[in-house]
């Protein structure tokens, strides 16, 4: 069983920045970040390939968020800039891609972190 431990998150004013990190207990995992706002379904934010480092982003965060993977530290990070109130959600780290259909689909990951709250005040 792979363990994912998230850190970071918190509260920030609109326009501000936050950084999330997720440490995995195993190597070579395709990893991603998802978020779930209150009353909404979990949605994919960004993903990164462990093979070639290719990054994938949801349209809503393209140009504002950046995912990075440190294979040596087994850590994936999410730098979030120019945050908006609509970015408020619980953010989840995910790993262990099950298929290649969509890297931003929550159904496509085997392992999940416990989630960390991000709140953006207007």
């Amino acid at each position: 069983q792979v363990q994912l431990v998230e850190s970071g998150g918190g509260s920030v004013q609109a326009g501000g920045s936050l950084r999330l990190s997720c440490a995995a207990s195993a190597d070579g995992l395709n990893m991603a970040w998802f978020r779930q706002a209150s009353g909404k379904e979990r949605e994919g934010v960004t993903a990164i390939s462990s093979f070639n480092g290719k990054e994938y982003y949801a349209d809503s965060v393209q140009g504002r968020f950046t995912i990075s993977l440190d294979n040596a530290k087994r850590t994936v990070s999410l730098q979030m800039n120019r945050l908006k109130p609509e970015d408020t959600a619980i953010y989840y780290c995910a790993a262990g891609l099950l298929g290649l259909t969509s890297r931003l689909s929550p159904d496509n990951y085997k392992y999940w972190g416990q989630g960390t709250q991000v709140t953006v005040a207007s």
Side-chain angles (χ1 to χ4, degrees), residues 27-40:
D27 292 325
L29 296 170
N30 291 290
M31 301 187 77
W33 288 96
F34 290 79
R35 67 186 181 187
Q36 188 165 16
S38 179
K40 295 187 177 182

Side-chain angles (χ1 to χ4, degrees), residues 7 12-13 17 37 47-49 65 78 84-86 89 105-106 116 121-122:
S7 59
V12 66
Q13 293 291 317
S17 298
I48 189 165
S49 168
F65 290 11
L78 177 61
K84 304 176 181 180
E86 52 263 42
S105 169
T116 185
S122 58

